[in-house]
Structures are given as structure tokens and as C-alpha cells.
Amino acid sequence: MYAIEAEGLVKRFGATTALDGVDLFARSGTVLGVLGPNGAGKTTAVRVLATLLRPDAGSARVAGFDVVRQAHEVRGVVGLTGQYAAVDEELTGTQNLLLVGRLLGLSRRDARRRSAELLERFGLADAGGRRAKTYSGGMRRRLDLAVSLVGRPGVLYLDEPTTGLDPHSRNELWGIVRGLVADGSTVLLTTQYMDEADQLADDIAVIDHGKVIATGSPDELKAKTGGQTLEIRPADPDAVERVAVVVAELTGVAPTVRGQRLSAPVADPAVPAAVLRRLDEVGVPVLELALRLPSLDDVFLSLTGHATGDANGNGTGRVS
Amino acid sequence: MTEATIAHRVSPVQAARHSLTLAWRNLVQLKSNPGELAGFVIQPLIFIVLFVYVFGGAIAGDSASYLQYALPGLIAQSGVFSIMATGAGLNQDITNGVFDRLRSLPIARSAPLVGRAIGDLVRFGASLVILLGFGMVLGFRIHTGPLSTVAGLALVVLFGVGLSWVSMLIGLLAKSATTVQLFSGVLMFPITFGSNVLVRTETMPGWLQSWAKVNPVSHLSTAVRGLLTGTPVGSSVWWSLAWTVALTVVFAPLAIRAYRRKV
């Protein structure tokens, strides 16, 4: 049973094609991570699914309602939290929640109760009487999320919910998202952070240049990239070069060197033990040796030929 | 989304409730913002002090008789100033994402626009009363009756409705708040100061006089002056109403079309 089913979505803005036939499926009660760099079409896809944009072609159903023909019904079941916290800065936290509660038809009393409940749940109870203008970035995001939950939506869109947040606020938000899913909500989460998708998503759709280029669970995607990666760090910083020679000889590939850490893809499971033995023979003590599945960063790189994020985004830089 | 498909989903009563809730938001913004609230109350006072007490003596010989002339004009002029804020507010909502949030809710499509207009008109009505109140404390005297006074204020509010379509159109089309301010300013100054609000037009050079004579704000200010102090009204009330209708006929469809594109 799918809460979100989108097929062949196309959206053009003038000469730019933002969505070029996007298919997205989110199973009820799960998190679908939509992963891609800036400008890949993630936000456009969310805006179509939230009825804010009309697709030029293709169709989408949310909780069984068509986003074009039954837009009003769709609005009744979805909650939207954008990249930029869309709260009224001139109003207090409580007033922001009351406003939406009243617009959704709650009585004054019910709207008050719901506001208090959400402020409490999102750790904003003490700040409820303050204007949103005075909130920190993390508080604003939490308020924004709280506002989108006033109507208890079954489907929630989180468009890059942690972009620009500090690690602590990010962890808090991840906890909240897990809680929502545990309560039965379906979440569509867009992100350009691999670890975020890895942490939260049950399924991932990788999107680039307006197209879905891969789908699957995080583990499936990692498996698609094939083999594992050997990571190794010698105790003596000066030994890096000697280690590189050994690794290259045994794996057949020159390892990537980052500081004192070397990594190389391995296909043969016997290689790590062989590397360790050889290093022991030549007298190079090893501080760290690990065998890991490829990260989603590796996956993205191998799928698209360029790293995630934009040039000055998360530091990985664009290859193209 | 077309109007036809919306109609059967949100009843007119619900739509009105949505608009009123959003008007409430607009008024709460003012209430919970001490700086803005102070500005809202103090600005009329500053206008009176500036125009009546700083310039009044030089323009009319003594400030007491100038107050009698200028206050109705200031009331008309404040309409232009306050209503231009509607477009700025609308534009701000669009740029900071509040508008998208509202559009993602199952509410009447027209509510964000209507709610803002209603909220701003209520603010505007209150500011007129404050302006008149200050004026009376400082010695302004109404020489007509309460009915005529109410009619004068109502005329200004009505003109404000007409003008708010222009303001909304600017707010909907402008890319940023700065553009809104620039456009509103370019529009505002000729129609407020190029009028008989502060001075009799006979003292102006001919070309400016001809503008000041057709300027809707001149008509409005003559009408309010007459309805409050009993000076001759002439056809000014009709001109004011005609301008209101004309602004609405021309700009309401344009603003609504621009709005539909956004919704």
C-alpha cells in the first residue's frame, strides 16, 4: 500500500526541465528519502506533491487522492515543512500554531490545546510566548515542523529539513522524524546529505537532473556499487607510503590517501588478512584496519559521476 | 486550480471564516510588535506636528487655522500611505514562504488575499480615528454633524479599498520587498504631495496645478474637508467615488489574475 505514488512527473520552467519523468513511491508508514544535489529537482517534486505546482505531465496520488483533480483533499492529508522555515516571524510560536489550527477548523479551545501539546512535544513550551523572530535556527525549524503537524497529517513532506542546522539540532530533528514514523506517518524526506538518508530512510530514490537514477533500500544501493572498501591507518605517519605500496600490490588498485588514512576497494575477502600479514612481515604496525560497505557518498559518486552537494555545499565538491 | 472545482469544496461561510482568521493574524502582528504598534500610533502625531506646527505658520500664518485646513487632507493622505503597506505585506508572505504554507492548507484559495485586505483596512480605519482624535485634542473642530463625519471617513476607507488593488498588484508582481517600496514610493509621492492636501493649489505653477486638479487625492481631501469642516464640497465626493470605482475596475482584475497565477 503506497501513500505516495507519482508516475512520470514532468515540470518545465521556461527552457529548464526541472522534472523529466520522475517516478516516486512511498510505502505507508515508511520514510522515502529523495536524495540529490542542489537543483536536481527535489524541491520541485515536493511542490508538485504538495499541490503547490501543477505538473506539465504525469500524475501523482497522495493517500489515494490525485494531486491535480483532488488538490483540496490532498491538502487535507499532507503537512509541508520547507527548506526555509515558513513561520510568521511577527507572531509568537503559540500564535503561529493557533493560526493554522483555526484555519483548519479547530475550535478556539481545541486549537489552544493542540498548540500547547505541540510546543511541549518539540521542546518549545517556554518559548511559546516569544515571537518567532527571536528563535534560533533549530527552534524555528522545530516550530515549522510543529505547525505542519497541527492537522495530524498522515503524509509529511520534509524538504531538506536539516540544511543549515548544527549537528545537535539535526540529531533532535532526526529523533522527531523517527517518532512520527513510529506513530504511523509516512514521510517524504529530501536531502543532499547521505548520512541523513542512511539514518532515516527505508527507501531511497536518487535523483539527478530531474530524473530518478536509482532506487532501493540504503543497503541495496550500497550493494549495487559492488565490493567493500578496505580502510587502513598505520601507527607511524611516515609509513603511509610503504602501506600504499603493499595495498596496491595485493588489491591491484592504488589506494586513495587522505591524511594518514588509506582506502581501496576490495573484491576478494581474503585480501584484508593478507594485507595485515604482509605489513606485519615488513614491520609496519597498524593502528586501524576496517572493512566497510560503500557509503552513500560512494554510491552517489558511482551513479552520477559527480559528488553530492554543490561546489560550496558540504565540502565534497562537484567533479563535473 | 480553477474556481469551479473549488466552489463545491469550501463553502462561502468557511471561506469568510478563513479570511477573518487571516485578518486576525494581520492584526495580531501589529499587537505583538511593540515597535510597529508605537509607530502606528505615533506616526499620525508626527505628521500633524511636522506639517501643522513646522510648516503651518509659514503656509497659513498661524498653525491653529492651518490645522483646520490640513487635518482633513492628512486624513486623506494617510489612506495612501497605509494602503501601500498591503502590497508590501503580501510580497513578504510570498518571499518568506508563509504564502506557500497557507496554500498547502485545505482553505479557500482567496483567503490569503482577502484576509490581508480586510486586516489592513481595519488597521487603516483605526489609524484614521487616531489621526482625527489627535487633531481634535490639538484644537481641530468638526463643524458638521456626526453623520457627515462618518461619511467623510467612510469615503477615505472606500478609496483605500480601490487603492489596495493597485498595492496588491505591485506586491504580487514585485520580485522583492525593495522593489515594492520603490514602486510604491514612485506612485505615492506625486499623488500625496502633488495635491491640495497641504496647500491650496492656486500657489502652484500651472503644470503642477493641472495635475493637482485631476489628482484623486485632491478630490478626496476636498471631500473630507467639506464633510468635516463644512467648506464647499462641489463635485469632489463624486470624483472620489468615481476614482474608487475606476481603480477597482482596472486593477482588481489585474491583481486577481496575478494572484491566480501564484495560487
Side-chain angles (χ1 to χ4, degrees):
Chain A
M1 177 42 194
Y2 291 111
I4 302 168
E5 309 162 78
E7 285 172 286
L9 291 181
V10 174
K11 183 73 199 176
R12 293 182 203 92
F13 299 105
T16 322
T17 302
L19 298 179
D20 193 5
V22 165
D23 303 329
L24 291 173
F25 297 90
R27 291 174 289 136
S28 282
T30 67
V31 178
L32 171 65
V34 176
L35 189 63
N38 275 344
K42 303 187 299 287
T43 298
T44 307
V46 168
R47 289 174 67 81
V48 167
L49 294 173
T51 77
L52 297 180
L53 279 179
R54 202 190 242 273
D56 294 325
S59 67
R61 297 168 77 78
V62 177
F65 299 117
D66 186 281
V67 295
V68 175
R69 288 193 309 277
Q70 294 167 301
H72 189 75
E73 284 78 0
V74 170
R75 290 178 197 125
V77 296
V78 304
L80 172 66
T81 294
Q83 190 168 346
Y84 306 101
V87 295
D88 186 333
E89 302 208 320
E90 303 297 332
L91 298 186
T92 66
T94 305
Q95 285 165 348
N96 266 291
L97 291 159
L98 281 178
L99 173 69
V100 172
R102 296 288 286 155
L103 285 173
L104 291 174
L106 296 182
S107 71
R108 217 173 287 263
R109 237 184 70 207
D110 288 346
R112 286 214 165 274
R113 189 182 311 144
R114 183 80 180 130
S115 305
E117 197 179 295
L118 285 165
L119 287 171
E120 186 66 46
R121 178 168 165 197
F122 288 85
L124 294 167
D126 296 334
R130 270 166 46 199
R131 281 195 293 151
K133 199 180 250 180
T134 66
Y135 285 19
S136 70
M139 289 167 77
R140 231 178 264 206
R141 291 294 170 92
R142 293 204 307 267
L143 177 61
D144 190 37
L145 189 53
V147 170
S148 66
L149 293 175
V150 171
R152 301 175 198 279
V155 178
L156 197 63
Y157 303 135
L158 305 177
D159 189 16
E160 302 203 10
T162 62
T163 298
L165 287 190
D166 60 77
H168 175 70
S169 305
R170 178 176 297 192
N171 272 323
E172 268 180 357
L173 223 115
W174 285 356
I176 290 168
V177 173
R178 289 193 187 101
L180 290 169
V181 177
D183 291 347
S185 298
T186 306
V187 173
L188 185 152
L189 169 99
T190 78
T191 183
Q192 42 178 319
Y193 300 120
M194 298 300 168
D195 54 332
E196 189 158 281
D198 211 0
Q199 287 276 338
L200 295 175
D202 298 289
D203 298 293
I204 291 176
V206 183
I207 184 168
D208 194 33
H209 298 301
K211 281 194 172 109
V212 174
I213 53 172
T215 55
S217 69
D219 286 340
E220 281 167 6
L221 284 180
K222 289 174 192 169
K224 262 186 199 175
T225 321
Q228 296 172 309
T229 303
L230 174 72
E231 282 195 339
I232 192 160
R233 183 149 75 104
D236 177 7
D238 297 331
V240 169
E241 235 164 273
R242 269 182 292 159
V243 175
V245 172
V246 170
V247 171
E249 187 185 319
L250 292 172
T251 62
V253 184
T256 315
V257 182
R258 261 186 217 160
Q260 293 159 46
R261 193 183 296 272
L262 301 96
S263 61
V266 287
D268 181 356
V271 165
V275 170
L276 209 53
R277 258 198 317 275
R278 176 72 62 84
L279 289 174
D280 191 36
E281 281 164 26
V282 297
V284 176
V286 170
L287 202 63
E288 225 182 292
L289 182 131
L291 199 58
R292 61 167 178 81
L293 281 170
S295 72
L296 276 168
D297 281 299
D298 302 331
V299 174
F300 198 87
L301 191 61
S302 79
L303 285 170
T304 65
H306 61 84
T308 57
D310 54 0
N312 47 12
N314 51 11
T316 42
R318 214 177 245 266
V319 175
S320 61
Chain B
M1 216 52 250
T2 59
E3 280 302 294
T5 48
I6 296 158
H8 67 277
R9 283 172 183 149
V10 180
S11 74
V13 178
Q14 282 175 311
R17 219 173 44 77
H18 297 152
S19 297
L20 289 178
T21 303
L22 286 165
W24 165 84
R25 166 207 170 207
N26 189 335
L27 296 171
V28 169
Q29 279 182 336
L30 180 65
K31 200 186 79 181
S32 54
N33 187 342
E36 205 189 331
L37 188 61
F40 182 78
V41 176
I42 292 169
Q43 199 192 27
L45 190 62
I46 290 178
F47 274 11
I48 295 180
V49 171
L50 177 68
F51 292 121
V52 176
Y53 294 97
V54 176
F55 299 134
I59 296 170
D62 72 299
S63 45
S65 56
Y66 186 60
L67 178 67
Q68 205 64 15
Y69 176 84
L71 190 74
L74 289 174
I75 287 176
Q77 173 186 307
S78 78
V80 181
F81 285 134
S82 343
I83 292 304
M84 280 303 158
T86 299
L90 207 55
N91 188 271
Q92 202 186 359
D93 278 355
I94 294 169
T95 35
N96 68 16
V98 171
F99 193 66
D100 278 346
R101 151 130 302 139
L102 297 177
R103 289 173 58 217
S104 76
L105 297 174
I107 60 171
R109 301 286 88 191
S110 58
L113 192 72
V114 179
R116 172 152 299 274
I118 294 175
D120 281 347
L121 283 171
V122 171
R123 277 187 191 207
F124 172 42
S127 78
L128 289 186
V129 172
I130 293 172
L131 193 55
L132 185 60
F134 275 142
M136 293 184 73
V137 169
L138 295 171
F140 178 78
R141 289 296 164 257
I142 294 171
H143 293 308
T144 56
L147 210 64
S148 179
T149 306
V150 171
L153 297 183
L155 194 65
V156 181
V157 173
L158 215 56
F159 181 75
V161 175
L163 202 58
S164 68
W165 294 112
V166 182
S167 177
M168 282 182 205
L169 183 66
I170 295 174
L172 287 164
L173 295 182
K175 293 266 178 277
S176 72
T178 325
T179 322
V180 176
Q181 291 213 323
L182 197 75
F183 260 96
S184 304
V186 164
L187 212 79
M188 238 158 46
F189 286 102
I191 72 168
T192 50
F193 292 111
S195 72
N196 67 6
V197 163
L198 299 168
V199 292
R200 291 181 213 282
T201 51
E202 297 89 70
T203 60
M204 297 178 184
W207 58 272
L208 191 56
Q209 255 188 57
S210 31
W211 159 245
K213 273 188 187 128
V214 294
N215 185 348
V217 176
S218 293
H219 293 301
L220 186 64
S221 127
T222 306
V224 177
R225 197 169 285 139
L227 289 168
L228 262 57
T229 65
T231 51
V233 171
S235 57
S236 62
V237 173
W238 300 115
W239 274 113
S240 305
L241 288 173
W243 268 104
T244 302
V245 171
L247 287 172
T248 306
V249 168
V250 175
F251 288 99
L254 291 175
I256 289 172
R257 208 178 63 167
Y259 182 71
R260 284 250 177 89
R261 284 216 184 128
K262 298 261 179 202
V263 180

